[in-house]
Amino acid sequence: MEYMLMLYQSKDDFAERDDPAKAPAYWAGWKAYIESMYASGIVKSGAGLQPPATGTTLHVVDGKRRVQDGPFADTKEQLGGFFVIEVPDLDGALAWAARSPSATTAGVEVRPVLVMRGDR
């Protein structure tokens, strides 16, 4: 079964990415996690994301586009990356989510991937 792991990060997590003193340890933790996921063969796809301020949110209201720069939601955590993995069950997905560096600082949302059937 496929699950998406949505890896959330705090403002401090995003700041560590570019801090010369903290970035090596930050990236070392992610490198170890990502390498272990790929080595296990469960990764279907995945990517890290640029910081929330680089995002653009679009809504269509009454047929007109409304565009807002930066993150739409004002939250303590923002989406920092994702993986789609294939594991036997939710317990397997949760086990991989728990190993993520995000699990100890902001959180990981685990959600089953929707399978579209051609005859729906």
Side-chain angles (χ1 to χ4, degrees):
M1 186 161 187
E2 290 184 8
Y3 290 89
M4 178 175 261
L5 306 182
M6 289 170 273
L7 307 161
Y8 290 90
Q9 297 182 298
S10 68
K11 288 180 183 180
D12 290 340
D13 294 333
F14 280 106
E16 284 184 29
R17 290 177 167 195
D18 297 322
D19 182 324
K22 296 179 180 178
Y26 172 88
W27 289 115
W30 278 105
K31 184 176 189 260
Y33 176 66
I34 292 166
E35 285 177 351
S36 66
M37 290 181 74
Y38 275 97
S40 75
I42 64 167
V43 176
K44 303 292 280 185
S45 66
L49 301 172
Q50 294 291 331
T54 65
T56 302
T57 302
L58 174 114
H59 288 113
V60 176
V61 179
D62 296 327
K64 295 180 183 178
R65 292 185 343 169
R66 292 192 183 167
V67 178
Q68 176 181 339
D69 291 335
F72 183 71
D74 185 22
T75 62
K76 291 181 181 179
E77 294 91 22
Q78 294 286 338
L79 187 61
F82 69 93
F83 282 100
V84 175
I85 61 173
E86 188 166 351
V87 292
D89 54 30
L90 178 59
D91 288 336
L94 291 172
W96 280 103
R99 293 174 62 178
S100 162
S102 288
T104 60
T105 60
V108 180
E109 182 178 347
V110 177
R111 195 181 303 180
V113 173
L114 178 63
V115 177
M116 299 297 291
R117 308 254 187 252
D119 57 353
R120 280 192 181 185

